[in-house]
Amino acid sequence: MRSFVLRTMCYVLGIVVHESDTKHKNSDARVLVMNHVTVLDHLAVDLVLPCTVPSVWDLPKVLTWCLGYKDLGVKQGREILIENVRQHCNESDLKILVHPEGATTNGRVGLLKFGTWPFCIGNEVLPVLLNVRRFSLLNIAPSVIGSRWWSDLFWFLFSPCTIFTIRYLPPMQRIDGASDEEFSAHVCQTMATGLNINATTFTCADKVEFVKRVLFQQQNQLVARHTTSSNSGLLISVMAQQVKEVLPYVPMDVIRRDLLSTNSVSLTISNILEGSIGYVPETTVVASPSCASSSSSISFSNEDRNEEPLTDDQYYTALNTAASSFGKTAQERTMSYQERKRRLIEMSRRRYLQKHPMS
């Protein structure tokens, strides 16, 4: 019954299993040691070599049975786990599958440092090498940094098929007098050589810290990008208001559009005055607070239209608003500034009316 359920799940998930060097498959070793690539590695192995995996999840019994998990006391501590695994090996025909790395990797660069508890169970293990790939056309990684199990499961469902290639190495026995750590290091090096990758000294805890650092950096980049975008929008608004004070009849959206390309108040004013930007003048203008002190409002009148046209020399001469003397008091300097500002606005207004006469 479970074999039928397992094959159905693998069919739905698109899991395809290829085996090689199967002459070592049915050895007497009770513990299978395999590198960890995806969250569904054990299903691929269980499909061709019935086994069970110590469960670290609190799942319903039916789901635990379907997925091939078994509660062997992982959460109760190392000693109880080892004792329960030894008891299982003595009482059951199912082999135990363990991932001594403790975390998934892409399986193409290096193996994480093996934990020692699987090598405390007995003196013999069966190394199993796993390689996972998908069609190069899709280029979908089996697992990525920081992904959740449900997101990996989604990509299994999305991909047409995921190919698991399983290769069995000869069983390895503990050398006389070798400690658990030496035994695990020897198996790790052998498996790394078989996979043509490196046996690293990084542990699963190191990977957890690396994932935290990567996710933290990504979050900081998003915040910085959002802050930069907000600051840029605020700066454009301030510059647009400055242009609007000088050229009140130019629509604000036209000013903003040009500022996005020039990023300069003076260049935008020059572009508007030189006629480089086409727009429809606004017929009603509300005076800004800064202009209210010098002029309560600006409107078109017969007097504006009858003013004597400015020549280019007169216009550029009028732009020189340097004060004849520096004010001795703050009040004098403020009045001088307001007068120069009023002159600039008035000259720009006359220049505008000259180039864009109103009917």
Side-chain angles (χ1 to χ4, degrees):
M1 177 63 181
R2 184 175 177 277
S3 176
F4 172 77
V5 173
L6 179 62
R7 291 182 181 278
T8 302
M9 287 191 298
C10 291
Y11 178 79
V12 173
L13 295 172
I15 295 178
V16 178
V17 181
H18 291 166
E19 292 182 285
S20 63
D21 294 336
T22 56
K23 60 183 177 181
H24 305 296
K25 175 179 178 180
N26 296 317
S27 67
D28 294 333
R30 306 291 299 152
V31 179
L32 307 178
V33 177
M34 188 174 70
N35 57 305
H36 203 5
V37 181
T38 75
V39 295
L40 300 180
D41 293 346
H42 65 285
L43 291 183
V45 177
D46 198 8
L47 191 63
V48 294
L49 180 61
C51 59
T52 189
V53 181
S55 175
V56 296
W57 312 97
D58 294 326
L59 301 175
K61 291 184 178 181
V62 175
L63 188 57
T64 300
W65 173 78
C66 291
L67 295 175
Y69 289 121
K70 185 175 182 179
D71 185 9
L72 295 173
V74 173
K75 296 183 178 180
Q76 298 177 21
R78 173 190 174 99
E79 297 301 328
I80 295 179
L81 171 62
I82 294 174
E83 180 181 351
N84 289 339
V85 171
R86 285 174 177 169
Q87 182 178 356
H88 170 84
C89 292
N90 293 330
E91 298 177 354
S92 175
D93 294 333
L94 285 177
K95 299 179 184 291
I96 289 288
L97 174 65
V98 295
H99 301 292
E101 291 179 284
T104 59
T105 66
N106 58 19
R108 298 193 300 268
V109 178
L111 291 178
L112 298 177
K113 184 179 179 180
F114 281 6
T116 58
W117 79 263
F119 304 92
C120 299
I121 301 171
N123 294 324
E124 185 180 27
V125 296
L126 177 64
V128 180
L129 307 181
L130 178 66
N131 179 267
V132 182
R133 62 186 177 88
R134 290 185 172 127
F135 290 122
S136 57
L137 181 63
L138 297 176
N139 195 26
I140 301 175
S143 182
V144 297
I145 290 179
S147 64
R148 303 286 186 176
W149 66 266
W150 49 265
S151 63
D152 290 343
L153 181 62
F154 167 79
W155 287 112
F156 269 96
L157 295 171
F158 179 80
S159 303
C161 72
T162 304
I163 302 174
F164 288 77
T165 302
I166 298 174
R167 182 156 64 96
Y168 304 93
L169 296 182
M172 298 185 63
Q173 296 183 347
R174 184 195 303 266
I175 300 176
D176 293 341
S179 64
D180 296 334
E181 186 172 353
E182 292 172 340
F183 187 23
S184 67
H186 180 48
V187 175
C188 180
Q189 184 60 54
T190 302
M191 293 178 63
T193 302
L195 291 168
N196 294 321
I197 58 178
N198 298 320
T200 71
T201 58
F202 298 109
T203 65
C204 59
D206 294 328
K207 182 196 170 181
V208 171
E209 291 300 320
F210 175 74
V211 171
K212 289 181 180 179
R213 187 164 60 252
V214 170
L215 295 179
F216 181 73
Q217 291 174 352
Q218 292 177 350
Q219 183 178 7
N220 285 345
Q221 290 174 357
L222 290 175
V223 172
R225 192 178 301 117
H226 177 71
T227 303
T228 301
S229 177
S230 300
N231 292 340
S232 177
L234 179 61
L235 179 61
I236 292 295
S237 298
V238 172
M239 292 192 296
Q241 187 59 41
Q242 293 174 350
V243 176
K244 188 71 172 176
E245 290 175 358
V246 178
L247 303 172
Y249 293 98
V250 181
M252 184 63 79
D253 59 332
V254 174
I255 297 174
R256 285 178 175 274
R257 192 182 312 121
D258 191 69
L259 283 173
L260 289 175
S261 59
T262 64
N263 199 31
S264 170
V265 173
S266 59
L267 288 178
T268 296
I269 292 176
S270 298
N271 291 339
I272 295 173
L273 293 178
E274 292 171 2
S276 302
I277 303 173
Y279 61 92
V280 177
E282 294 179 340
T283 57
T284 303
V285 180
V286 178
S288 62
S290 61
C291 295
S293 60
S294 59
S295 176
S296 60
S297 65
I298 301 176
S299 62
F300 291 108
S301 64
N302 292 331
E303 181 182 353
D304 293 330
R305 290 193 288 269
N306 294 330
E307 287 178 345
E308 183 180 351
L310 290 173
T311 64
D312 290 341
D313 291 339
Q314 290 175 329
Y315 174 70
Y316 289 112
T317 299
L319 289 180
N320 183 10
T321 60
S324 59
S325 62
F326 187 75
K328 295 182 179 180
T329 64
Q331 184 177 4
E332 291 179 356
R333 291 193 291 271
T334 301
M335 292 178 63
S336 176
Y337 165 76
Q338 294 294 345
E339 176 61 23
R340 285 180 286 147
K341 184 175 180 180
R342 185 192 65 77
R343 287 171 56 192
L344 280 175
I345 294 175
E346 179 64 19
M347 296 306 298
S348 297
R349 182 181 66 83
R350 291 183 60 187
R351 180 78 167 181
Y352 172 82
L353 291 176
Q354 181 179 326
K355 287 195 172 187
H356 305 280
M358 300 295 294
S359 56

